[in-house]
Every structure is written in C-alpha cells, then in structure tokens.
Amino acid sequence: MAGAKWVYTFGDGKAEGEAGMKNLLGGKGANLAEMSNLGLPVPPGFTITTEVCTYYYDNGKSFPADLDATVKAALAGMAKLTGKTFGDPANPLLVSVRSGARASMPGMMDTVLNLGLNDVTVAAVATASGDARFAWDSYRRFITMYSNVVLDIDHGHFEEALEDYKERKGLHLDTELSADDWKLLVGKYKDIVRKELGKDFPQDPQEQLWGAVGAVFSSWMNARAIKYRELNSIPASWGTAVNVQSMVFGNMGETSATGVAFTRNPSTGENALYGEFLINAQGEDVVAGIRTPQDITEAAKIEAGSDKPSMEKAMPEAYAELCRIYGILEKHYRDMQDMEFTIQEGKLWMLQTRSGKRTAKAALKIAVELAQEGLISESEAVGRIEPGALDQLLHPTIDPKAERRVLTIGLPASPGAAAGEIVFNSDEAEAAKKAGRKVILVRVETSPEDIHGMHAAEGILTTRGGMTSHAAVVARGMGKPCVSGAGQIRVDYAKGTLSVGPTTLKAGDFITIDGSVGQVLLGEVKMQKPELSGEFGILMGWADKVRHLRVRANAETPEDARTARDFGAEGIGLCRTEHMFFDEDRIQPMREMILAGDDKGRRSALAKLLPMQRQDFVSLFTIMQGLPVTIRLLDPPLHEFLPHTEAEIAVVARALGVTAEQLRHRAAELHEFNPMLGFRGCRLAIAYPEIAEMQARAIFEAAVKAAKETGKPVIPEVMVPLVMGVPEFDLVKSRIDAMAEAVKKETGAELSYQVGTMIELPRACLRAQEIAKTAEFFSFGTNDLTQTALGISRDDAGSFLGSYTARGILASDPFITIDRDGVGELVKIGVERGRKSRPDIKLGICGEHGGDPASVGFCHEVGLDYVSCSPFRVPIARLAAAQAALGEVKAKEG
Ligand code: ADP
Ligand code: MG
Ligand code: MG
C-alpha cells in the first residue's frame, strides 16, 4: 500500500477522479468528480477512497499514516477555492462528511452536515452571513446529526427538547424559531450531550472531522448496512468511500432551498423533470419527510392540486439552471438521473447524481424511449432491464369493476395493488408472512430497520413522508405497492389501531392499497391481472431478435396455456399429467386404478380416465396451435392419490367391489419410506404398462383430432420421466410406438410425434450417449437432478439450507439458481454425450431454474435449445436469454 493515493480532489471545473472510478471512489464520489469535470457547479471537496476503508478494517480501525497530511493538503485546496479555511475561527470553512459505496445504499449510511461549527465559529458564520438565525439553526442541526451519527446519542433526546421548547413557546413550525430560540436550544443540546456522553460536545474541528470519517467507515458494518448488503448481494469487502465537501446552505432564507429531482418520472417513466424541494431547508429535511415538500414543476403542482408554489414559479432562475443541467447529465450518462441539489441565495449547486432507481414500468419506458431518441442502442435497452424486475409488471391491479370503499388517500409511491391484514411493525409482518398470512405494513414512516418487514409485506402504507421518503424509495426498489404520506391516518402503535375520522381499524383487519393512485381501501378488494404496456411489447421484440434460446412454459390447464401464449411462450416444455388427475371427477377413477388388485380392474378404471385425458390434450393442442407440446407420462408416487378419509375409502371400495378393510390393506402396501426415490417415474410405466398406454393413446387420438379441427399440425413430444438408462427408456418407448401405430391404423391419419426423456438422475447424464440413440429429445429436469445430485430433499432443505448459503458453503439456493459446479457439470456431460450419438438432439430444461435469469444464462452457455418455466416467468426468461446472448457477443468483442 506504500505510495497509495488515498485522496482524490474535485471542484472548480476539474477533478482527479471520474465516473469510471466507482470502485475506488464510491458512486457518489465518482459522480461528484464527473460533474466537476463537466464544469457543473459542484461545491469543492475530496473523496477518501474505499481502499482506506479496507485499510481501516484490516488494521484494527486505524488510518494509514500519511492520510492526515493528504487530507490537510486537500483542505488547503478547498480553502483556495472557497476563500474560507477549515478551523479558522474568524472565517471558517464548513463541510459535509458523506459516505458513498460503489452501489447506492439509500438511507443506509449517514451524512453529517455543517461540520466545523463550534461555539466560536458559529459567531463568525453569523457575522459573515449577516444572519444569526441561519448560523444557530446550522449549529443545532450539526450537533443533532453529529451526536446521532458519530457519538451514538439517540436523536430522540434532541427532538424531545425541541418539541418541549416549541410547546412552551406556543410555536408550531421550526421555521417560526428565531436566532435566540436556536441559541437557547443549542445550549440545551450541549447539556444533553454532556449528560449522555459524560463529556462535552467536541469543539475542535479536526477532532470533529476525524470522528465523522471514522463513523462513516464504522457504519459500513452496522446492522442496517449489513442487512441491506445481504438483501442486495453486495459484498462486505467493497467498503465505502468518504466524501468531504464544502457546505452550501439551503437554509439561508426564502431564496435558498434543497431538493431531489429525477430527469424522468421514476414511477411511470414519463419524460419530464420530476421531483420535490423545500425552501429554507437542509438536505435531511427532504429525506426525513418532516415537512411536506413542494413540487418542482408547475405541471406536477397543478396535477397534485397542491397549494404551495412550484420551484418553477417560486425560483424561476434556479429552475432554468436545473433544467439546463439535467439535460447535460442525461445526455452525458445516457440514462435517467436522480439528482440532489441545493440552492443558496438563488444559486444552484449540484450535490449528487446517479442513475435513478425506477419501477419496472418506468425502466421499460425509459429504456425504449432512450433507444428511440438515439441515446442508446436497442441492444443496450435490452440490457438495461433487470429480468427479475419484470415480475413487478405482472403484479395484479384492482379490478376496475370492484367497489372501492376509499378510506383515505396518500401519495402513489410505488405502483401495483395489494391487500392484506394490517400489521404495525416489521417483526410482526415477518412472523405473519412465515405463518402464510398476507399483510400490509402500516407505519408512520419507515426506516432502514423496517427492511425485513417491508420484504415480508404485500404492500406498505405510511402516514408521513413524500415520494422520495425512505418507504417510497425502498418499496419501488422491491417492486412492492406503496402508499406514502397518507396524512389523515392516525396510527396508535400502543393500541394497535389506525383511524381516519370516525373509522377505526385494528391490527388483523383487511385493507387494500393501490400504489398506482395512492388510495387506501377498506377490506380485501378484487384484483385483476396486469395489462402490459406498448413499451413492454417493443422491448420484448428487441429481446427476441437477439436471443438464441427458445422459451416454453410449464402448463397443464388451458388457462395456464393461454397465459403462456400471451406472454410469448413458444410451446409447452412440460405438461405434468398428474396435475390433471386431482380434479374432483378424476381422482375417483384414478384411485380405482391405483388400488385395483389386478390388470382387469386397472384397465376398467383407465378406460374411464381415457376420454377425460384425451379432452385435456385436445384443448392444449388447440391453444398451442402448431407449437410443440411436451407431455410427461405419469410421474409421482402413487400414494399421493390415495383416499384419506373413511368416506373416500368407502366410495373407492364400492366401485372396486372390495371391502374397506381390503382397500386399506392395499393402500398400506403402497406406503413408502422415501417416495421421492421410490415407486415413481418410468418405474410406474414399467410395472403397469397399461397406464402409459392409456396416456399415449389419449395423446395420439387428441393429436389427430386437434390437427383435424385446427388445420395446424400437432407434433406431440412424449416424455418418459426418471430413466436411469436406456433399457427402461426403450421398454416404455416400445409401448408408446405400438400405441401410435394402433391409433394410426384406427384413424387412418398421419401422425408425427417424438419420444424423449427427462434427464433427472445423475446416472442418466452419464449414460446419455446410449439413451440418445433412441431418445429424440432430452429435457433436463433440474429440480430432481438437484435433489439427486446434491442428495438434498427440497422439502426438507429448509432447516439447513439457509445456513449453508449464509456461510457460503453453497453460493446460492440450488433450487432457485442452478448449482453450476455440480448439477451444471452433469447437465454438460448429458449434453455432450447425448450429442455424440444424435448431433441434432433437441435439448431443453424444465425445472424451476428455467425462469431464473442466472440459470437461463447457464442454459444459453451450454447451448440448450430451450428453457421451460412457469407462464408468468416467460417474459423474464425471454429477456434473460437475450441478455445472455448479448453478454456473449460483448465478451467476444472485448
Ligand atoms: P444520502 O446518501 O443519504 O443521500 P448524502 O451524502 O447525499 O446522503 O447527503 C444527504 C443530503 O445532505 C444531500 O442530498 C444534500 O441535500 C445534503 N448535503 C450533503 N452534502 C452537502 C453539502 N456539501 N452542502 C449542502 N448540503 C449537503
Ligand atoms: Mg443518509
Ligand atoms: Mg444523497
């Protein structure tokens, strides 16, 4: 580390860093440098690198020896640019100390403003600004923030003191307090510090500065930050940078302000400046939601029906400057920006810019429009959308026909609708979710301590805070519906109630929130499936142009098949026929079939099932018109269908002409110790060929019928489950082929079909070369393959898998993302060996992994032909497949 550069300066139209240096400078520092380089008005400062953070933790929380001198030099540089000197009692430079990791972590790390103030410098600031109120207001803010962040004194103490003071004086708003009021309060605040800390509030600016820098590094390891990193897969090793920046003041009266703005609407994607600001305030006021902010544009103000003036009207010059700058930033970064700014006596200063978080809906619209505007290419647009985020668009909304009993209205903070029981705290939300209940988390406002509750809840409702409050920002990121700032609601945490006027609801009562319009509704309101926007179709079209993998769906019911087609599925990759037998009218003959003592009994029960099964397939083939449909023969252990109650047993016994006692005996025979590895899959077809024959007949007769009716060819793919080698496969295949011959003869129709197998046992991967001699396709059943390769039963994994992933023994849950090193290796072997005997063998995957973006990437890499996933995940898989293809192109070019 000798000779390492620990500090990078910025300001006055130049910087030592730039936007590409996020790893070293953190996102905030890199972009402050970039904005300086662009010549934008950025208060000068410097960034202490993330390497110092790493050093700090590697060396018992100490700083590199030469850091102090480097920081002093950087502060001297700031003095040159500002004409003020840090620590100078007569002409003090005040700074902010701001954290900034590589990835933005909203609200996770704390910022200290107005650092450098003390009993002496506060007077100098008052004199220099000619505004004693401003000076003392800044000082009290500094003591509060510094005490909270650095000295670990609960800010509640200061708030209490302030509230008491206001009450005694009959004052309501902070803005009503005079210089003398704040001066008095500063005295009280210092008393609080002395009492809580046992020593005085630090007066030495150098001590203040190093205390704050250390606190920023320490906060990297606080519980909230750790939790956030865990939820967002951010490694602890990245560390955070610290930015020290000269202060600009939004609290210098009516010509000063602070605000947050997005270059496009982060909720809808609309191409219009969007944001909020507060006059005579400092940054933390906006985020904390203590005062309700004002709109930036006049249009937004009118739309919201607000009675407070917009920035456009109240500060036209600063507004024009903001518009100029946002145009520059968006063109430069070629993406929607989230900007923080402060106006000091009419002059606008930029304090932050970054790519803005947005809803999936906004992400689509923005990506498509940026491409149409020529700022990015179509492929870049495809790469801009996180496949998993599409889930948000597939969220339900409120049925327009449903009655809306509106309890109250708040801000439409994050779109989509959700219904659930009211809970008032995050631990309860988490517990309820575990118990299988749906909840809406209701809070006055949320803080990073609520992340787990927000995760567990269907939706979030707050009574305070604007569109950029913690609740709103985090909910949008999570894709959860959120209504914020519903100010008419009174929450009583102690009683567990919320009330609006005369209406009182208690914990456990149902409410529905509509985050798209900000409504809070009584009861559980009916939802409807989402409608997809034009941009969705356009972007999917671009994705389809670049991807190689085809995407099919796992579907049995006509409804699922239709959904799958609507979402662009190119066939059915897995039709689980057993799912078709659980219906009321099916389970009866199914039970007869299973429990029949002989061939004859089985055949007569199967004869009842045949027409129903045939009709199922006719509907599927008709919906999927001309697209491939893979049908898997009966797979699960038979005992899953057994009758349980005495009444059920009696019915089956009567139908079979046996006693209940005999039936119970037969059922007991079917008991298995480990059904997952028991009498299931092709083992059923081998023991009871008549089952496979009935299913094959139903498939072929349906194919003939549907082809005739639709005029489109039907090419069924019959799939034999759970083979361990070629003998099983050939045996079952010969029965299927014979049935195809029979149906051809009987109907006189042409019949094309394929017979293939599901590869879901390690042995089948190893024997793939032989199996492929007769099998015309492989579908990797990665659910079972994961269970059998890892020897982990998915249903029993809950008790230990979490600790495995937490400790890094497994990189991620192997049932969600394919275990590349193990299961992936087996798939590769299966692919290679299968292709040896049949180069054009059709290869697919049909486990849950087919809808997981990372696993789709793997399938692309190993050259499968298609993935098959649940209908709602089809768009996700299409996009993930496109990104995998683009990634490959990029890797080749780079
Ligand atoms: P966060 O990461 O939580 O957004 P920031 O470091 O961006 O924290 O600080 C929060 C707010 O504090 C900023 O949006 C800005 O309003 C205010 N702020 C930070 N530094 C300065 C500064 N040098 N001058 C004026 N305000 C500042
Ligand atoms: Mg913060
Ligand atoms: Mg910020």
Side-chain angles (χ1 to χ4, degrees):
M1 284 274 158
K5 185 169 167 55
W6 303 120
V7 166
Y8 286 71
T9 60
F10 58 83
D12 198 31
K14 54 183 182 295
E16 292 178 323
E18 41 96 7
M21 295 165 71
K22 290 206 173 62
N23 293 358
L24 190 64
L25 304 180
K28 202 176 284 168
N31 285 331
L32 283 169
E34 189 80 4
M35 284 199 291
S36 297
N37 286 328
L38 286 171
L40 300 181
V42 175
F46 58 88
T47 304
I48 302 175
T49 69
T50 55
E51 283 175 356
V52 178
C53 184
T54 310
Y55 181 101
Y56 180 78
Y57 281 107
D58 287 350
N59 292 277
K61 299 202 174 182
S62 68
F63 297 115
D66 50 341
L67 184 63
D68 188 46
T70 326
V71 165
K72 283 222 170 75
L75 283 169
M78 285 162 74
K80 267 207 193 115
L81 293 175
T82 60
K84 297 190 169 87
T85 304
F86 187 69
D88 182 343
N91 183 24
L93 172 70
L94 303 187
V95 299
S96 65
V97 176
R98 319 171 63 186
S99 63
R102 277 193 221 184
S104 95
M105 291 170 64
M108 288 290 138
M109 315 285 284
D110 294 301
T111 298
V112 177
L113 303 180
N114 310 334
L115 190 139
L117 277 175
N118 57 28
D119 296 350
V120 177
T121 53
V122 67
V125 169
T127 313
S129 65
D131 186 348
R133 184 190 182 279
F134 152 70
W136 287 99
D137 175 49
S138 301
Y139 194 19
R140 66 95 192 183
R141 288 171 185 272
F142 172 52
I143 297 177
T144 311
M145 268 183 272
Y146 194 90
S147 300
N148 183 33
V149 174
V150 182
L151 307 177
D152 208 19
I153 299 173
D154 184 19
H155 57 81
H157 294 297
F158 303 103
E159 273 158 32
E160 236 166 71
L162 174 57
E163 290 306 314
D164 283 352
Y165 186 84
K166 282 199 286 192
E167 209 174 292
R168 261 193 295 118
K169 291 274 218 153
L171 302 169
H172 300 285
L173 297 172
D174 291 4
T175 41
E176 293 168 14
L177 274 70
S178 68
D180 286 338
D181 290 327
W182 287 126
K183 195 170 175 178
L184 268 167
L185 272 162
V186 162
K188 290 186 195 301
Y189 283 10
K190 285 195 294 184
D191 291 343
I192 292 172
V193 173
R194 198 172 304 115
K195 182 157 161 265
E196 294 297 317
L197 201 65
K199 46 182 188 204
D200 283 328
F201 185 82
Q203 291 287 318
D204 174 11
Q206 283 295 335
E207 186 190 341
Q208 293 173 354
L209 178 64
W210 289 104
V213 170
V216 171
F217 287 145
S218 300
S219 72
W220 179 251
M221 285 296 175
N222 75 25
R224 300 179 307 186
I226 291 171
K227 183 77 186 169
Y228 185 89
R229 285 200 293 272
E230 189 189 305
L231 290 169
N232 292 279
S233 316
I234 297 171
S237 61
W238 283 5
T240 181
V242 181
N243 300 289
V244 176
Q245 188 174 27
S246 51
M247 281 301 299
V248 287
F249 299 97
N251 57 334
M252 285 186 88
E254 295 303 303
T255 57
S256 300
T258 185
V260 178
F262 294 82
T263 59
R264 301 186 187 218
N265 187 308
S267 250
T268 63
E270 192 201 340
N271 185 4
L273 185 64
Y274 173 88
E276 297 168 330
F277 82 119
L278 274 176
I279 291 178
N280 196 8
Q282 278 199 322
E284 77 274 12
D285 297 344
V286 179
V287 184
I290 295 166
R291 276 162 62 192
T292 307
Q294 299 164 233
D295 292 301
I296 289 189
T297 62
E298 187 61 15
K301 182 225 145 174
I302 291 168
E303 202 188 308
S306 160
D307 52 2
K308 292 189 183 162
S310 66
M311 177 170 158
E312 190 174 351
K313 278 269 143 65
M315 302 184 159
E317 275 149 36
Y319 175 77
E321 173 74 341
L322 182 63
C323 289
R324 178 184 78 88
I325 289 172
Y326 102 73
I328 293 173
L329 285 176
E330 200 178 85
K331 284 220 173 57
H332 182 72
Y333 283 98
R334 304 186 313 131
D335 195 9
M336 184 266 265
Q337 296 295 297
D338 165 357
M339 307 166 297
E340 293 172 12
F341 63 88
T342 283
I343 300 160
Q344 177 177 331
E345 300 188 298
K347 166 143 175 81
L348 182 93
W349 293 92
M350 296 306 293
L351 293 171
Q352 191 170 342
T353 192
R354 61 184 161 195
S355 280
K357 283 196 193 298
R358 62 205 80 180
T359 62
K361 183 178 165 192
L364 273 174
K365 189 170 168 72
I366 291 169
V368 167
E369 290 185 356
L370 286 175
Q372 289 169 340
E373 290 159 25
L375 272 180
I376 60 175
S377 67
E378 288 180 8
S379 314
E380 277 178 286
V382 167
R384 289 272 174 100
I385 311 295
E386 207 232 304
L390 291 180
D391 236 0
Q392 284 183 34
L393 299 175
L394 315 171
H395 273 322
T397 49
I398 288 174
D399 185 340
K401 281 172 285 202
E403 193 203 345
R404 284 175 183 244
R405 289 185 293 147
V406 179
L407 175 68
T408 185
I409 295 181
L411 298 170
S414 179
E421 297 171 32
I422 296 170
V423 296
F424 291 107
N425 76 59
S426 289
D427 291 341
E428 270 168 35
E430 199 172 42
K433 163 97 177 182
K434 279 206 180 111
R437 282 155 44 217
K438 293 186 166 185
V439 298
I440 303 290
L441 178 64
V442 182
R443 302 284 302 163
V444 172
E445 58 196 337
T446 63
S447 74
E449 279 97 35
D450 291 313
I451 298 278
H452 64 297
M454 297 176 77
H455 249 276
E458 303 298 309
I460 295 116
L461 169 62
T462 66
T463 61
R464 274 217 320 227
M467 295 290 286
T468 47
S469 66
H470 179 266
V473 171
V474 174
R476 281 200 292 273
M478 287 178 178
K480 302 243 173 193
C482 174
V483 173
S484 71
Q488 291 178 351
I489 298 183
R490 291 281 156 265
V491 170
D492 187 331
Y493 287 132
K495 286 203 196 114
T497 59
L498 68 82
S499 45
V500 179
T503 314
T504 296
L505 302 176
K506 47 187 195 315
D509 289 346
F510 270 91
I511 52 168
T512 301
I513 58 168
D514 187 340
S516 308
V517 296
Q519 286 180 346
V520 183
L521 308 167
L522 287 165
E524 196 176 5
V525 184
K526 195 159 166 248
M527 304 277 174
Q528 69 168 18
K529 273 199 214 152
E531 251 185 68
L532 296 167
S533 66
E535 284 86 16
F536 177 83
I538 294 172
L539 191 105
M540 281 303 178
W542 294 344
D544 290 345
K545 273 197 269 183
V546 296
R547 73 184 157 94
H548 310 313
L549 271 177
R550 301 213 153 256
V551 177
R552 299 193 191 182
N554 301 344
E556 295 82 36
T557 64
E559 196 197 341
D560 279 354
R562 260 181 236 116
T563 309
R565 281 214 71 161
D566 290 347
F567 284 145
E570 299 164 289
I572 288 179
L574 178 64
C575 165
R576 292 153 291 206
T577 51
E578 58 273 13
H579 287 210
M580 301 165 140
F581 293 122
F582 284 110
D583 274 359
E584 201 49 44
D585 55 336
R586 315 265 174 105
I587 189 115
Q588 187 53 34
M590 187 67 188
R591 284 173 175 157
E592 289 169 36
M593 192 271 293
I594 294 166
L595 292 163
D598 55 11
D599 232 43
K600 198 168 133 273
R602 250 192 313 278
R603 283 188 191 277
S604 102
L606 284 166
K608 293 185 206 167
L609 288 169
L610 175 66
M612 303 186 209
Q613 181 91 101
R614 186 171 51 221
Q615 190 46 48
D616 291 336
F617 297 141
V618 171
S619 347
L620 275 189
F621 294 148
T622 308
I623 294 165
M624 298 313 289
Q625 302 230 351
L627 297 176
V629 177
T630 305
I631 296 166
R632 180 176 72 186
L633 300 180
L634 195 67
D635 178 53
L638 292 182
H639 78 95
E640 284 187 15
F641 295 96
L642 290 182
H644 301 292
T645 66
E646 284 304 313
E648 285 170 355
I649 290 173
V651 176
V652 180
R654 211 174 309 124
L656 288 172
V658 297
T659 65
E661 187 46 45
Q662 281 170 310
L663 195 78
R664 263 194 294 274
H665 184 71
R666 169 86 181 116
E669 282 174 2
L670 284 170
H671 171 80
E672 289 182 306
F673 289 104
N674 190 347
M676 184 194 81
L677 301 175
F679 187 29
R680 56 167 288 211
C682 68
R683 298 161 201 174
L684 298 172
I686 289 181
Y688 301 137
E690 53 279 9
I691 302 179
E693 282 171 4
M694 181 282 282
Q695 291 198 294
R697 176 175 278 283
I699 293 167
F700 295 134
E701 289 180 355
V704 171
K705 189 158 179 248
K708 220 182 268 165
E709 284 171 9
T710 63
K712 295 259 167 74
V714 175
I715 306 179
E717 300 171 347
V718 185
M719 181 152 78
V720 182
L722 209 78
V723 302
M724 60 176 100
V726 80
E728 288 165 300
F729 180 75
D730 283 354
L731 239 157
V732 180
K733 182 172 188 296
S734 68
R735 301 274 180 166
I736 296 166
D737 288 338
M739 192 52 72
E741 279 312 308
V743 172
K744 268 193 223 169
K745 249 199 215 119
E746 287 160 21
T747 59
E750 268 309 301
L751 191 59
S752 304
Y753 67 97
Q754 290 189 338
V755 185
T757 180
M758 205 145 152
I759 302 286
E760 47 193 332
L761 294 175
R763 192 178 193 281
C765 296
L766 301 175
R767 308 313 301 167
Q769 192 172 342
E770 284 163 330
I771 299 173
K773 284 192 179 131
T774 41
E776 295 170 283
F777 65 87
F778 285 172
S779 176
F780 290 92
T782 47
N783 293 348
D784 269 323
L785 192 57
T786 300
Q787 298 201 87
T788 51
L790 276 68
I792 295 177
S793 140
R794 183 168 56 167
D795 303 322
D796 301 311
S799 53
F800 58 89
L801 202 54
S803 68
Y804 265 53
T805 48
R807 296 166 72 177
I809 298 171
L810 283 170
S812 54
D813 182 336
F815 295 105
I816 293 174
T817 296
I818 199 159
D819 156 45
R820 279 177 180 250
D821 298 347
V823 177
E825 244 355 81
L826 285 167
V827 170
K828 271 192 209 156
I829 291 171
V831 167
E832 276 159 25
R833 296 189 182 173
R835 281 200 177 123
K836 268 195 193 141
S837 30
R838 190 183 291 268
D840 62 344
I841 187 166
K842 203 190 294 177
L843 300 168
I845 176 182
C846 62
E848 291 298 309
H849 301 103
D852 167 66
S855 308
V856 171
F858 168 81
C859 295
H860 172 90
E861 276 170 42
V862 296
L864 299 190
D865 298 302
Y866 70 88
V867 297
S868 188
C869 57
S870 71
F872 274 92
R873 298 192 77 81
V874 166
I876 297 172
R878 285 163 68 196
L879 186 54
Q883 292 185 352
L886 288 172
E888 194 176 73
V889 172
K890 245 200 218 144
K892 269 189 198 136
E893 284 168 355

